[in-house]
Amino acid sequence: MLGEERITTYCGLDCAKCDYKEKYNCGGCVATKGNPFHGKCELASCTISKGKRFCGECEKFPCELLNKFSFDKEQGDNGVRIENCKKLKNEFVKEGREGLNPVCYCGLNCDFCFLGQWCGGCRSDYNCCSFATLFEDKKCPNATCCNEKKIKGCWECDELKSCNKGFFKNDNAFTMKAYCLLIKKYGEQVYSETIKNAVANGVDYAKDFDALGSTEKVLEALEKYRK
């Protein structure tokens, strides 16, 4: 898994700089599976129970519990561990997405997703797709389906227009299908350039196309921004 050797604590503290490491011969937070010198850690237990490697990978980051520890009047660090988690997560996202196709299986574009700083993308080694977390296996049905059919994306599927899997069950399914239909017609590069042009002209990628209400209207709007 990407960056495993850089994760020494669950909450973002720096083991190497901890004053207690040598004093109490502490093996470290992750190395002891959340049982450092002072005993079982509540934050570590929470992270492990959710199947995360560190707090920064959690959908609820920064949660109430992490804030409680980080801003504790006696033992807190005034938010340093939270910032460390953000920094580490951003590094993983950047490395995970480097050189990869930003167009997701469903037609979304990672470069303009509001969670782009949180997720490496469904094609990366650092896939933290928030939609996938809704499912028991933590896998997006659209990505799974495309991989099973050995196709690059939903736009290559003959069942696209009638499909109701994964993202296509949502209220804004018509927007996703419009993206896929545009890709099917012009290709991924033209689609990405179209979205880039739309955003440059003030379009809110996460909201404005959804507000149009139908696949036909979204396609019509996209055509206006296609170069």
Side-chain angles (χ1 to χ4, degrees):
M1 186 76 173
L2 186 66
E4 202 75 46
E5 71 286 350
R6 279 175 276 172
I7 304 172
T8 59
T9 65
Y10 294 98
C11 68
L13 285 176
D14 190 342
C15 257
K17 296 180 180 179
C18 181
D19 295 333
Y20 299 113
K21 186 172 184 179
E22 292 186 9
K23 184 177 180 179
Y24 292 101
N25 194 30
C26 180
C29 188
V30 172
T32 60
K33 299 187 185 304
N35 290 277
F37 73 95
H38 58 74
K40 191 173 183 178
C41 173
E42 189 177 358
L43 279 170
S45 296
C46 177
T47 307
I48 293 170
S49 70
K50 291 182 177 180
K52 306 298 181 184
R53 298 185 301 168
F54 68 106
C55 291
E57 293 183 331
C58 181
E59 298 81 15
K60 295 182 179 180
F61 171 82
C63 69
E64 184 178 344
L65 182 62
L66 181 59
N67 274 299
K68 175 186 172 184
F69 273 78
S70 191
F71 292 100
D72 182 83
K73 291 182 179 180
E74 295 183 4
Q75 302 294 329
D77 50 75
N78 201 31
V80 171
R81 72 184 76 190
I82 293 175
E83 292 305 312
N84 287 343
C85 281
K86 289 180 181 178
K87 182 180 178 182
L88 188 59
K89 182 64 183 286
N90 287 336
E91 287 177 4
F92 290 163
V93 169
K94 184 178 179 181
E95 291 169 21
R97 291 180 61 185
E98 188 173 358
L100 286 184
N101 178 2
V103 181
C104 303
Y105 294 98
C106 65
L108 279 173
N109 192 305
C110 286
D111 287 344
F112 303 99
C113 177
F114 70 101
L115 289 173
Q117 292 183 321
W118 185 79
C119 176
C122 57
R123 299 184 189 275
S124 77
D125 291 331
Y126 198 64
N127 179 11
C128 306
C129 175
S130 61
F131 182 67
T133 63
L134 299 175
F135 301 90
E136 190 173 346
D137 61 0
K138 308 301 180 186
K139 294 181 180 179
C140 170
N142 300 96
T144 299
C145 182
C146 286
N147 285 322
E148 288 175 350
K149 291 182 176 180
K150 293 181 170 53
I151 58 177
K152 198 172 183 180
C154 296
W155 53 90
E156 292 186 349
C157 182
D158 295 333
E159 300 173 13
L160 172 62
K161 290 186 178 180
S162 61
C163 182
N164 64 354
K165 292 179 182 177
F167 245 116
F168 300 143
K169 275 187 177 180
N170 294 342
D171 292 339
N172 65 339
F174 60 87
T175 305
M176 303 298 107
K177 291 189 177 184
Y179 294 156
C180 286
L181 289 170
L182 192 81
I183 296 170
K184 186 180 183 71
K185 187 174 182 179
Y186 299 111
E188 295 163 67
Q189 185 62 38
V190 171
Y191 161 65
S192 292
E193 290 174 355
T194 299
I195 296 300
K196 183 178 181 179
N197 190 32
V199 172
N201 280 276
V203 172
D204 186 328
Y205 180 64
K207 297 178 180 179
D208 290 350
F209 290 125
D210 288 349
L212 295 176
S214 72
T215 297
E216 292 72 25
K217 288 183 179 180
V218 175
L219 278 171
E220 185 179 339
L222 288 169
E223 285 288 356
K224 294 178 182 178
Y225 297 105
R226 183 175 64 84
K227 293 183 178 180

